[in-house]
Amino acid sequence: MKVSKRLSTETLYKIFIYVALIGLAVSILVPVAWVFLASIKENEEFYGNPWALPKGFHFQNFVEAFQEARMGDYLLNSVIVTALALVVLLVVALPASYVLARFDFIGRKIIHMFVKAGLFINVSYIVVPIFLMLLDWDNLLRSMNGDAFFLNNRLVLAIVYAATSLPFTIYLLMSYFQTLPSDFEEAAGIDGAGYFRTMISIMIPMALPSIVIVILFNFLAFWNEYIIALTLMPSENKTLTVGLMNLLSAERAAVNYGPMYAGMVIVMLPTLILYIIVQKRLTKGMTVGGVK
């Protein structure tokens, strides 16, 4: 009797889990699929049944989004800024997290404390001080040689992105480096490898699953970021999310919905492609420890 009750409870629990997961998947997939279908509809089709399939493939929506709304230029800006930010972030975060995780030195606990404190800082609260600081630096440069550098600069925006993501990235990588056994470092030392060679050739390849997670999470954060890009890039040299908001406002006012949804697809597509590419590595990074 107890066994049957236990089996029935486990069965109900499994059914509940499957129903919850299916409901979550439907709630995510249906809106995404609807946006993709809406992006190839003609404007007249939006006044009928919103769930009706498109009558054809109206590719002109993407042409208008790229040409009239300059989504192609904004896409290129986002690609450059995101790639630069990821490179700067990894170049700084990987050595910092490795040293904090594997070595004991004076001031290590203080640095560790500052890294943890940085996790609780909301970037939206400090974007105005960052803007004012960069504006003062630009004013100083103008007074010296007449040229500005820090605002409307994709490299500076990428550095700001990387700097604001350092606490999370260092903390995540440091936690993973701490799980790796010291036998590999000892073997590398016996073979004559120095600290830098050991980190590059042995420890970083072993931490690759965690690095993939860091790249994916930060890519999503940089790609979809809006407030910092809007504040630090006030000229026409905008990123994709800022350009999308301008496109949404313009097309909504003009009652032209096709290019608006085409712009949404342009923003979503790179993230979906990246997730499909790194899906297996992402799952492996969440489940595999350092010892294999």
Side-chain angles (χ1 to χ4, degrees):
M1 190 68 177
K2 291 183 179 180
V3 175
S4 61
K5 286 184 178 180
R6 183 182 302 173
L7 290 176
S8 61
T9 303
E10 292 179 355
T11 303
L12 290 175
Y13 179 73
K14 289 182 179 180
I15 293 174
F16 171 76
I17 294 297
Y18 282 122
V19 170
L21 292 176
I22 292 173
L24 180 61
V26 169
S27 65
I28 295 175
L29 293 177
V30 169
V32 172
W34 191 91
V35 171
F36 273 90
L37 293 176
S39 67
I40 58 175
K41 286 184 177 181
E42 296 188 18
N43 202 47
E44 293 78 11
E45 298 182 57
F46 289 96
Y47 297 99
N49 183 6
W51 298 103
L53 295 176
K55 298 178 181 179
F57 191 88
H58 192 61
F59 191 74
Q60 185 64 27
N61 293 332
F62 291 90
V63 175
E64 292 183 18
F66 271 99
Q67 293 182 351
E68 299 180 8
R70 298 183 57 204
M71 294 298 286
D73 296 336
Y74 301 149
L75 176 63
L76 179 61
N77 290 334
S78 288
V79 170
I80 294 174
V81 170
T82 302
L84 287 174
L86 288 174
V87 170
V88 173
L89 179 64
L90 292 178
V91 168
V92 176
L94 281 172
S97 57
Y98 174 66
V99 170
L100 287 173
R102 311 297 293 189
F103 297 94
D104 191 11
F105 54 91
I106 300 175
R108 175 180 175 272
K109 292 184 179 180
I110 297 177
I111 297 175
H112 194 187
M113 181 184 65
F114 277 110
V115 170
K116 285 186 176 180
L119 296 172
F120 300 96
I121 297 177
N122 192 324
V123 180
S124 302
Y125 298 154
I126 62 174
V127 64
V128 173
I130 293 175
F131 170 76
L132 294 177
M133 179 183 66
L134 297 180
L135 181 62
D136 289 339
W137 291 354
D138 272 345
N139 291 335
L140 179 62
L141 289 179
R142 287 193 188 97
S143 64
M144 296 172 60
N145 54 23
D147 295 329
F149 176 79
F150 295 99
L151 293 178
N152 298 313
N153 189 315
R154 289 174 293 193
L155 176 60
V156 174
L157 180 61
I159 293 175
V160 172
Y161 279 173
T164 54
S165 299
L166 272 178
F168 164 76
T169 305
I170 291 177
Y171 187 78
L172 182 62
L173 291 175
M174 186 174 60
S175 300
Y176 193 88
F177 277 126
Q178 289 174 343
T179 65
L180 301 180
S182 59
D183 298 343
F184 300 98
E185 293 168 297
E186 295 173 358
I190 294 174
D191 292 337
Y195 295 132
F196 183 78
R197 180 66 182 275
T198 301
M199 180 187 70
I200 296 296
S201 301
I202 298 176
M203 305 305 289
I204 289 181
M206 291 180 62
L208 188 60
S210 181
I211 295 173
V212 171
I213 296 176
V214 165
I215 292 176
L216 180 61
F217 284 177
N218 284 295
F219 175 86
L220 295 176
F222 299 158
W223 187 264
N224 297 318
E225 202 284 321
Y226 175 74
I227 295 179
I228 299 178
L230 177 66
T231 306
L232 303 186
M233 308 282 280
S235 69
E236 295 182 355
N237 199 21
K238 297 179 175 63
T239 58
L240 191 58
T241 51
V242 180
L244 176 62
M245 294 303 297
N246 294 342
L247 175 64
L248 295 181
S249 301
E251 300 300 336
R252 191 182 295 115
V255 197
N256 192 16
Y257 300 108
M260 180 175 69
Y261 289 108
M264 293 182 183
V265 171
I266 294 172
V267 175
M268 288 192 302
L269 198 57
T271 59
L272 294 177
I273 293 174
L274 178 64
Y275 179 77
I276 292 172
I277 293 174
V278 303
Q279 181 182 7
K280 291 183 179 180
R281 288 187 175 273
L282 178 64
T283 305
K284 183 179 178 181
M286 290 181 174
T287 56
V288 176
V291 182
K292 298 182 181 181

